Amino acid sequence: MRVANTSAKAFDLFCGIGGLSYGLQMAGIQVIAGLDVDSTCRYAYEENCKAKFIHSDIKNINYSDISPYFDGAKYRILVGCAPCQPFSTHTAKVRKNREDPRWNLINEFLKFVIDGRPEIVSMENVPTLMKERIYRKFKDALKGLGYWVEDGIVPCEHLGVPQRRRRLVLLASLLQNISLPEKSLGKPVTVKESIGHLSKLNNGAACTTDQMHVCWKLSPLNLKRIKVSIPAGTWKDWPEELLPDCYRKSSGKTYSSVYGRMSWDKPSPTLTTQFYSYGTGRFGHPEQNRALSVREGALLQTFPENYKLTPPGKPFSVSTVGRHIGNAVPPLLGKAIGKSITQHLENVDSQL
């Protein structure tokens, strides 16, 4: 990691297990603390980010509660990725989930900005949020407070993340214009480059040397299905007797983004909180007859292999750790956001 810029301090709202915080630190930004409502994220966050984890619902605290963490900072950076499920493409297709209590968490984020006026603000979320009135109000409020605001859709595969993952990134500054992360000119990282070195696993097995390299066991029916699945294919490649009843109907034929294998020579699909389940996306291993392991999901999210997800040797829930990984900001996206911020602050300092 780069040496931290001690003149700037960052606080991570909705920090989870630390994907964004870790990425910011890779870019040389000092992250002082993170806040999250999920206490099960504490171990991974504090072990890897070496920053304080504050377990609280954001609705129960105010900027004054976190302001002491910024003591001595020339530049205060407030970042966060509010839970994206209410704004996801799938949710938008099924129902506009404005009654979900998570819908208004963006307004809670805004409350901190209004009260604290940090020099830098960054937010990351799903692209569909840009279409929502709540986001436009957030953006307009920032401009009304005097922020220069830049936002756009960032393809993560252009930043070294081996996923076809597009994210909305917003950067705002009270200091001067600020730019979004620059795209890489290199080829996207493939699934094979990311996870191809890991040892082979049987269906439902665990690696003896890495407790995170463990996969859920497929049902006998899903084992038959994955055996006839081809890389980058869908359930449409199966014989009819293996199809679920819902996919035999015309109404189910549009749902092709499930029950698929990944391809070695391409980035993976966007990881979700259930990437470890073969039936919830195109998360079948490219050649082994099984779903992704927890370690494979973490690597595809660009967590380093030595990232401590759970206490060593202690039992853990695959679904809990999988949710942590799927909800996380990929650290390489966090690093790219951090580089934009550090370059911005260097430009500001050079003009003083």
Side-chain angles (χ1 to χ4, degrees), residues 147-186:
Y147 284 90
W148 280 270
V149 179
E150 190 73 24
D151 67 340
I153 307 303
V154 175
C156 293
E157 64 266 33
H158 294 165
L159 302 174
V161 179
Q163 288 181 58
R164 295 187 297 275
R165 188 183 191 100
R166 300 170 71 249
R167 301 297 285 184
L168 163 63
V169 174
L170 175 144
L171 284 166
S173 172
L174 285 173
L175 307 170
Q176 63 180 32
N177 285 323
I178 188 168
S179 300
L180 290 177
E182 295 181 1
K183 296 179 181 179
S184 167
L185 298 178

Side-chain angles (χ1 to χ4, degrees), residues 22 27 51 58 74 93 128 139 146 155 159 163 197 201 206 226 260 265 268 283 292 309 316:
Y22 195 84
I58 191 174
K74 181 179 180 182
K93 283 181 178 178
T128 48
K139 187 175 168 180
L159 302 174
Q163 288 181 58
H197 65 285
L201 282 182
I226 199 170
D265 60 357
S268 80
F283 304 130
L292 280 180
L309 296 165
F316 66 93

Side-chain angles (χ1 to χ4, degrees), residues 42-67:
R42 180 187 297 276
Y43 174 83
Y45 187 82
E46 293 189 337
E47 282 292 314
N48 298 284
C49 300
K50 307 302 181 186
K52 183 175 178 59
F53 180 90
I54 301 169
H55 174 222
S56 179
D57 188 323
I58 191 174
K59 292 177 282 191
N60 296 335
I61 68 170
N62 298 300
Y63 179 81
S64 61
D65 298 311
I66 71 168
S67 62

Side-chain angles (χ1 to χ4, degrees), residues 41-183:
C41 295
R42 180 187 297 276
Y43 174 83
Y45 187 82
E46 293 189 337
E47 282 292 314
N48 298 284
C49 300
K50 307 302 181 186
K52 183 175 178 59
F53 180 90
I54 301 169
H55 174 222
S56 179
D57 188 323
I58 191 174
K59 292 177 282 191
N60 296 335
I61 68 170
N62 298 300
Y63 179 81
S64 61
D65 298 311
I66 71 168
S67 62
Y69 291 98
F70 288 116
D71 284 352
K74 181 179 180 182
Y75 302 117
R76 297 161 301 154
I77 305 169
L78 189 66
V79 302
C81 173
C84 62
Q85 286 85 353
F87 313 108
S88 70
T89 302
H90 176 70
T91 303
K93 283 181 178 178
V94 177
R95 57 190 166 92
K96 286 294 184 183
N97 205 2
R98 292 179 176 84
E99 294 182 2
D100 188 314
R102 297 171 295 182
W103 185 272
N104 286 314
L105 290 178
I106 292 174
N107 287 334
E108 297 296 331
F109 191 154
L110 180 60
K111 176 187 72 176
F112 278 74
V113 178
I114 293 171
D115 292 346
R117 301 279 307 270
E119 284 72 26
I120 305 294
V121 174
S122 179
M123 185 176 70
E124 183 262 11
N125 216 291
V126 292
T128 48
L129 178 58
M130 288 190 84
K131 301 175 183 178
E132 299 295 342
R133 184 169 177 264
I134 193 170
Y135 175 73
R136 294 193 295 271
K137 289 180 66 177
F138 178 87
K139 187 175 168 180
D140 289 345
L142 291 179
K143 291 179 178 179
L145 290 168
Y147 284 90
W148 280 270
V149 179
E150 190 73 24
D151 67 340
I153 307 303
V154 175
C156 293
E157 64 266 33
H158 294 165
L159 302 174
V161 179
Q163 288 181 58
R164 295 187 297 275
R165 188 183 191 100
R166 300 170 71 249
R167 301 297 285 184
L168 163 63
V169 174
L170 175 144
L171 284 166
S173 172
L174 285 173
L175 307 170
Q176 63 180 32
N177 285 323
I178 188 168
S179 300
L180 290 177
E182 295 181 1
K183 296 179 181 179

Side-chain angles (χ1 to χ4, degrees), residues 191-192 195-207 213-216 218 222-231 259-264 276 278 282-294 296:
V191 169
K192 189 164 191 176
I195 68 171
H197 65 285
L198 296 177
S199 60
K200 290 186 177 181
L201 282 182
N202 291 324
N203 176 34
C207 178
H213 192 30
V214 56
C215 60
W216 263 12
L218 302 182
N222 277 343
L223 187 57
K224 290 180 181 179
R225 288 167 171 166
I226 199 170
K227 285 180 177 179
V228 295
S229 296
I230 61 175
Y259 290 110
R261 277 191 193 271
M262 299 184 302
S263 176
W264 275 134
Y276 51 84
Y278 169 59
R282 297 174 186 170
F283 304 130
H285 190 277
E287 60 183 30
Q288 298 168 38
N289 294 323
R290 61 174 179 83
L292 280 180
S293 75
V294 175
E296 288 165 336

